[in-house]
Amino acid sequence: MDCLFCAIANGEIPSKKVYEDDTILAFHDIDPQAPVHVLIIPKQHIRSAFEITPENSAVVAHIFEKIPSIAKSLGVTEEGFRVVNNCGDAAGQSVKHLHFHLMAGRQFGWPAG
Ligand code: AMP
Ligand code: ZN
């Protein structure tokens, strides 16, 4: 399977790591849309949020359990931050491996454009 984020997860493609454990990885986005822009991925290949199931959802819970400490390590807890998932083409999902954008360091509008 040809998947960019699987290649990042297994170290074939380098990334600027922020956090890593056995099941998830967080790294800086290569094209940041905010002063702080980190991607958090499961190491396991899950194509999108549409493919989250009872069998694989523990890793998604684990990502959200780790978001506070990842945000703390980035120094963005006081000001707040945004967590975004793009699912499918209409939402602009360009990499078909589940990921959550953690963005901070500027004011974000709502609804998102
Ligand atoms: P999405 O559009 O939601 O699928 O987000 C994919 C994100 O991956 C974009 O914000 C890209 O800038 C980012 N990206 C693409 N290639 C890399 C890479 N090699 N390292 C880090 N981030 C990447
Ligand atoms: Zn993958």
Side-chain angles (χ1 to χ4, degrees):
M1 186 178 31
D2 196 17
C3 172
L4 175 62
F5 286 177
C6 281
I8 287 178
N10 67 30
E12 279 169 40
I13 292 177
S15 64
K16 282 176 61 185
K17 288 178 192 173
V18 169
Y19 174 78
E20 180 173 21
D21 63 26
D22 287 348
T23 58
I24 70 172
L25 175 66
F27 53 96
H28 288 281
D29 196 292
I30 207 167
D31 181 21
Q33 302 301 309
V36 174
H37 187 170
V38 163
L39 301 174
I40 312 171
I41 67 169
K43 290 188 172 178
Q44 165 193 5
H45 184 81
I46 299 171
R47 189 176 156 80
S48 76
F50 192 60
E51 295 199 354
I52 297 171
T53 66
E55 287 71 37
N56 66 22
S57 63
V59 74
V60 180
H62 184 58
I63 285 173
F64 278 83
E65 285 164 17
K66 288 294 170 188
I67 280 174
S69 59
I70 292 169
K72 195 172 176 193
S73 75
L74 294 164
V76 300
T77 44
E78 291 288 315
E79 59 178 283
F81 54 86
R82 178 166 285 180
V83 177
V84 173
N85 169 256
N86 296 321
C87 179
D89 293 334
Q93 183 183 4
S94 60
V95 179
K96 302 295 194 280
H97 178 129
L98 180 66
H99 53 280
F100 296 91
H101 300 255
L102 191 165
M103 303 163 84
R106 67 170 168 84
Q107 196 65 39
F108 296 96
W110 188 259

